[in-house]
Amino acid sequence: MFWENEDTVSEKIEEQIRDSQTYKIHDGLLYHYANYDTLWKILGSDSFFARNIRFSNDANEYMTGKSVIERFVKSDTRFDEGNKRNIFQQEIQNNPMMYFMVCFCEDGDLLSQWRGYAKDGVSIGLDFRGGYKKQNNIERHVEHFCVVNNKKFQDANKENKGRFNCKYYLDDTNTSIAFVQMPYKVQYISKKDRKMANDILSKLYDSGEYEDCRDAAEKLIKYIPFLKDKSFEEEKEHRLIFDMEYLGVSRANSDYVCSKKVEYLEQDGIKKPYINVEFGRAKNKLSDVSNVCVGNDVLDLKDVLGKINNTVIYEDKKRKGIYIGEGKNQEDIMVEIEKLIEAPEVSERLREKVKIWCEGHLPIREIMVGPSKKQHDIKESLDFYKKTVYWMKYIEIKESKIPLRD
């Protein structure tokens, strides 16, 4: 959980290498299950709604991780006895309260997920493998996310002009709250098997160098959201976690920033906190597109696309498709690319391979419509809708293969 700056990409890669036995990345699509109302909110806003961990559908899971960490700290002689009470009362109790998460599953058509999280809903398949790679190692990999200001703040500042953008920035310094992060796989812990939990946490502890007990405890505490009861192992869950605890130079400043980022959704008389998270970098979204990437399956198009003005065309043999860099003129670039590939010198076979993806938008590659009486109608609706939103145009809409049970 790193803030974005010039050093965080390297730090994130080092973390993944150092803690690779604990923090694991999936080499494939990950699926976010949602009901129809949430689906349309996600597509309409082009963002995730990350819920506070204490108010998620599985709020008790926070207690699973909390108790595992507490037991480990109590039993491990490397923690100073005098600091244990402070670790329990301050760090373990308070810090995870500001974790916000989005959950994913490796399987996009899983009956337990349809029943538990998306009855008459969908699973949204996303590809998080488009970020930084080194030595072709999938675990050396990052993505960028920005936290959007809440609607109240945006509405109050919508008249601001110039460089100030009230959707992302809190002042005229053009500094946004941005994360360098990836979804990590959940570790499933049996309540009876303390050895398994201790082995995991020992490996995590041993991978770091610490100034004191509190520093070591903070590293372990950050793993609380990735601990879940073994009875849910079928889900093969991954979680994207955003730590909103320290956002500024002081506690008062952090509280100010957080108040401009957190929204509330009322359910059953309880206002549940969440944050709105966009894919990509705010500064790039407000500029023109600077580059276009050509994947391995359409490398023959590189010379054709070289005709696009003011962009750098480069190739990446580890990806498939065409990727337009972030920018406010993305749609114009996409239209120009589609015109170029219609040229007579481009074969029909090559043209049929082309899929164009737009960086800075949710990396949705497919949407699976769950079992319901309206399944086919929903699929047709999504097929039509995606044609009207340029960055969604090449998303594949599928139907669940699980039969409907009345």
Side-chain angles (χ1 to χ4, degrees), residues 167-226:
K167 185 175 183 181
Y168 304 109
Y169 306 118
L170 296 173
D171 52 41
D172 58 4
T173 62
N174 272 15
T175 301
S176 63
I177 297 298
F179 285 88
V180 174
Q181 188 57 293
M182 282 292 289
Y184 290 135
K185 187 171 184 177
V186 166
Q187 291 269 15
Y188 293 95
I189 303 294
S190 169
K191 292 180 179 179
K192 297 180 181 179
D193 190 355
R194 291 194 178 189
K195 183 180 183 303
M196 180 191 298
N198 286 344
D199 287 347
I200 292 170
L201 296 177
S202 291
K203 289 176 182 177
L204 191 58
Y205 182 101
D206 293 340
S207 66
E209 297 180 1
Y210 313 105
E211 294 182 4
D212 51 36
C213 289
R214 182 172 179 175
D215 187 30
E218 285 182 356
K219 179 170 185 177
L220 297 177
I221 288 165
K222 288 180 179 179
Y223 201 62
I224 285 178
F226 299 103

Side-chain angles (χ1 to χ4, degrees), residues 256-303:
Y256 168 79
V257 174
C258 194
S259 71
K260 304 300 181 288
K261 298 293 184 180
V262 175
E263 303 262 15
Y264 291 90
L265 178 66
E266 185 169 338
Q267 290 183 334
D268 301 323
I270 301 174
K271 287 187 177 294
K272 298 183 178 182
Y274 70 92
I275 56 173
N276 211 350
V277 184
E278 283 191 359
F279 207 74
R281 310 183 196 189
K283 61 183 179 181
N284 291 350
K285 293 172 184 287
L286 304 176
S287 306
D288 285 336
V289 172
S290 62
N291 59 76
V292 174
C293 170
V294 182
N296 184 53
D297 59 332
V298 289
L299 286 178
D300 291 343
L301 289 174
K302 185 178 178 181
D303 291 340

Side-chain angles (χ1 to χ4, degrees), residues 50-63:
R51 288 188 177 185
N52 185 278
I53 189 172
R54 294 291 284 113
F55 297 91
S56 68
N57 291 335
D58 302 307
N60 63 317
E61 292 170 13
Y62 158 79
M63 301 306 296

Side-chain angles (χ1 to χ4, degrees), residues 6 25 40 99 129 188 209 282 337 359 372:
E6 60 183 8
I25 295 173
W40 293 115
Y99 290 165
R129 299 168 297 171
Y188 293 95
E209 297 180 1
I337 289 174
E359 307 280 16
S372 74

Side-chain angles (χ1 to χ4, degrees), residues 29-36 39 42-43 103-110 113-114 117-126 364-371 378 382 395-400:
L29 295 186
L30 289 173
Y31 295 86
H32 179 66
Y33 284 77
N35 60 37
Y36 291 139
L39 167 69
I42 289 173
L43 298 182
C103 300
F104 307 91
C105 179
E106 292 181 18
D107 191 333
D109 196 11
L110 191 61
Q113 294 295 95
W114 293 125
Y117 305 101
K119 186 177 181 181
D120 295 337
V122 301
S123 68
I124 306 168
L126 301 105
I364 302 173
R365 300 297 178 255
E366 65 179 53
I367 298 176
M368 179 82 69
V369 183
I378 292 295
L382 285 168
I395 293 174
E396 186 175 1
I397 312 298
K398 299 181 176 179
E399 294 183 355
S400 167

